[in-house]
Amino acid sequence: PSLEQVFKEAIANSLDANATKIDVRIFIDSLEKQETLQIEITDNGEGFTSERYDKFCELLKVEEDTHKGVGRLVYLSYFNEIQVSSYYDSHHRIFTFNDEFDKERSNMQLSDNADGKQETKLLFKDCSLKRLSSYSVITPEYLKRQILQEFFSRLYFIKKAGRNIDITFEIDIPHKNKKHIIGPHKSVISMEDIPAMSSTPVNIDRIAMFESSSLDYAIIKTEDTSSTFLMTALCVDNRTQNLDDIISMENLPSCGYQIIFILNSSFFNGKVDPARQHLTLKDGDLKSIKTIFREQIAKIIEEQIPNVKEQNQQVRESLKKVYPHLLGYFNDDEIGIISRTKSIEEAQKLFLRDQKEILEVQSLDDEKYAKAIDVSSRTLAQYILYREKIIAKVEQYTREDSEADLHNIILPKRT
């Protein structure tokens, strides 16, 4: 897993414990000394109660399919020691988590919490990392974006329920090299970072019967006209799994929009690998989900963003004019959503499939004969398109050009 996954798993545990305040503090002596990296994550959640501690001690012990039970192993990918201190109810539990951790032989101590303190602190020490992939991965602004994106769905539902939460990221670098641009040393995620969203039901019966599904979305015109922010994701186990190939940025206004689409369904629960890096949906199901997702997005964007419908019609007309032999193969529902290049590629694939089917058939029945006529006429149209371009090239020649130049356009010499 990536280093960011350490932060994600720890924050997920804090959210599971109903924390409303999470502080992430990062210490590194200098960016050239990765082995000095330490992370301290503190929250005011329910803490390591006996029940939670027992679950932590048993790998893969989960009560619902939205959890994997392996998140703590991510910690050991980068740190040899994690010190845990948890105040809850009338107790204070401390223990050390490492490669040798075992419930029966652990150094866990349980004492009284006389002050009624409510705080759990994880201190990640003895970093085994030899080299950071990028300095940015431990900066507050970067981590804010990563966590906000990972838990956007969950934070949205927390806000929708009328609850508040703050997640603070802070970094301390005593010996910072002037050439390293770190940016702000502190960033905060609050409910103000989560916009109000609309919700519409989505029918996915073609994939899974009786699964409740909805699309939550926000399209907000902002004062920042420099760029458009886009998120298209599935909500899986209360986390967002991005699908970057749903909509192409080239089809959206280049300035001043914050666009968020999150597809929710109980069908997605548990459909991700243990490291939460990749979806485990069947290829056919994922393809159908993407099609449904695009259909819903297309309707909403055309309704809410001015000029997009007109722009999409222009794209359709352009494709018909430049690629007349592919008429009928373009997916009109996806034009203006996926990129122009991908629209052409998908149409060409379908055309090639029909050509292959006709060429490989042993004999033509009436249906196949009609299809053969259609395919051959399209192939002729395609030939004419290329011929017109060749003629246009020939017409550019003058008396100054040699016979060889003209000859090579039609057929290369000596071949």
Side-chain angles (χ1 to χ4, degrees):
S2 60
L3 177 61
E4 299 98 297
Q5 206 69 20
V6 171
F7 297 94
K8 292 175 181 178
E9 292 302 325
I11 289 173
N13 290 335
S14 295
L15 294 173
D16 286 343
N18 296 313
T20 58
K21 185 172 176 54
I22 305 170
D23 293 318
V24 179
R25 291 185 173 86
I26 302 147
F27 172 87
I28 187 167
D29 185 62
S30 77
L31 293 175
E32 284 80 12
K33 297 179 180 178
Q34 287 85 1
E35 69 279 2
T36 65
L37 176 66
Q38 291 188 13
I39 301 170
E40 182 183 273
I41 300 180
T42 307
D43 70 54
N44 64 348
E46 295 166 2
F48 271 87
T49 61
S50 296
E51 181 184 7
R52 289 181 179 278
Y53 178 68
D54 289 343
K55 285 182 182 179
F56 182 89
C57 291
E58 292 191 45
L59 193 67
L60 297 175
K61 183 178 180 180
V62 294
E63 294 179 350
E64 50 192 21
D65 57 5
T66 57
H67 293 75
K68 295 295 182 182
V70 296
R72 73 203 75 129
L73 295 184
V74 173
Y75 303 159
L76 300 178
S77 299
Y78 294 93
F79 297 92
N80 295 319
E81 181 179 307
I82 297 92
Q83 295 178 357
V84 182
S85 169
S86 183
Y87 292 91
Y88 63 94
D89 299 333
S90 59
H91 303 291
H92 178 208
R93 188 189 302 275
I94 60 171
F95 65 94
T96 300
F97 178 58
N98 53 31
D99 278 330
E100 308 301 322
F101 180 79
D102 181 87
K103 183 180 179 181
E104 304 304 322
R105 299 190 300 274
S106 79
N107 63 348
M108 193 277 291
Q109 297 178 33
L110 196 63
S111 59
D112 292 336
N113 176 20
D115 298 330
K117 192 176 180 180
Q118 188 78 17
E119 178 188 273
T120 296
K121 181 182 294 183
L122 274 63
L123 178 60
F124 298 79
K125 300 177 66 177
D126 191 9
C127 181
S128 58
L129 192 65
K130 301 301 180 186
R131 186 169 178 269
L132 285 169
S133 59
S134 169
Y135 299 134
S136 66
V137 299
I138 57 172
T139 60
E141 278 295 304
Y142 176 84
L143 288 170
K144 175 180 177 176
R145 290 195 302 271
Q146 289 292 308
I147 297 302
L148 192 56
Q149 183 168 286
E150 178 83 1
F151 296 103
F152 189 93
S153 299
R154 190 163 188 174
L155 295 174
Y156 166 64
F157 290 121
I158 288 173
K159 180 175 181 177
K160 200 173 180 180
R163 291 154 45 208
N164 290 317
I165 190 166
D166 288 305
I167 306 175
T168 302
F169 302 92
E170 195 166 0
I171 190 168
D172 181 16
I173 312 174
H175 303 98
K176 190 176 76 169
N177 191 318
K178 291 182 179 180
K179 70 179 181 180
H180 296 139
I181 301 173
I182 301 301
H185 282 226
K186 185 176 180 179
S187 288
V188 180
I189 293 175
S190 70
M191 292 296 95
E192 292 180 1
D193 292 301
I194 309 298
M197 299 177 72
S198 300
S199 184
T200 183
V202 175
N203 185 353
I204 64 165
D205 283 354
R206 70 182 89 165
I207 305 166
M209 296 288 286
F210 313 118
E211 297 286 351
S212 57
S213 307
S214 65
L215 178 64
D216 291 279
Y217 64 92
I219 299 178
I220 305 164
K221 199 165 188 345
T222 65
E223 294 180 1
D224 179 11
T225 59
S226 59
S227 63
T228 287
F229 167 77
L230 172 67
M231 178 193 291
T232 51
L234 304 183
C235 179
V236 182
D237 303 343
N238 285 323
R239 303 195 194 190
T240 45
Q241 289 286 331
N242 281 326
L243 297 179
D244 295 328
D245 59 347
I246 294 295
I247 182 171
S248 173
M249 286 292 289
E250 75 181 45
N251 300 312
L252 297 173
S254 59
C255 58
Y257 277 94
Q258 185 179 17
I259 301 172
I260 300 163
F261 289 99
I262 300 177
L263 188 59
N264 302 282
S265 176
S266 52
F267 175 68
F268 303 148
N269 289 346
K271 303 290 198 311
V272 67
D273 66 4
R276 298 192 179 278
Q277 305 291 302
H278 305 287
L279 291 167
T280 57
L281 288 160
K282 295 178 181 177
D283 289 343
D285 288 343
L286 183 58
K287 185 176 180 181
S288 296
I289 286 164
K290 288 181 177 181
T291 298
I292 294 169
F293 207 174
R294 290 191 186 108
E295 289 172 355
Q296 296 295 322
I297 287 176
K299 293 176 186 175
I300 293 168
I301 285 181
E302 285 198 352
E303 288 173 1
Q304 298 205 14
I305 301 182
N307 303 325
V308 166
K309 189 170 185 177
E310 181 183 342
Q311 174 185 302
N312 289 350
Q313 186 57 37
Q314 290 173 354
V315 173
R316 291 187 183 95
E317 294 302 322
S318 171
L319 292 176
K320 290 176 182 178
K321 181 178 180 180
V322 179
Y323 301 94
H325 62 293
L326 295 178
L327 288 178
Y329 286 110
F330 290 112
N331 185 338
D332 282 351
D333 291 333
E334 293 188 346
I335 290 176
I337 296 297
I338 62 176
S339 70
R340 176 188 170 90
T341 299
K342 191 166 183 179
S343 288
I344 297 166
E345 287 176 354
E346 293 299 321
Q348 286 175 326
K349 283 181 185 177
L350 294 175
F351 182 36
L352 183 61
R353 178 204 64 191
D354 285 351
Q355 287 178 312
K356 183 173 179 290
E357 180 184 338
I358 294 301
L359 291 174
E360 291 183 352
V361 74
Q362 296 298 316
S363 61
L364 296 174
D365 56 21
D366 290 345
E367 182 182 349
K368 286 288 192 297
Y369 174 74
K371 193 167 190 176
I373 293 297
D374 177 66
V375 168
S376 63
S377 64
R378 289 175 184 273
T379 305
L380 177 59
Q382 186 179 28
Y383 159 73
I384 292 171
L385 290 172
Y386 285 112
R387 186 185 67 173
E388 286 180 347
K389 291 188 178 296
I390 292 171
I391 291 171
K393 177 69 175 173
V394 171
E395 289 176 340
Q396 294 175 8
Y397 282 105
T398 68
R399 292 180 180 276
E400 305 301 319
D401 296 295
S402 68
E403 181 184 351
D405 293 327
L406 182 60
H407 192 295
N408 286 333
I409 284 187
I410 301 166
L411 187 69
K413 293 182 71 176
R414 303 182 180 86
T415 62

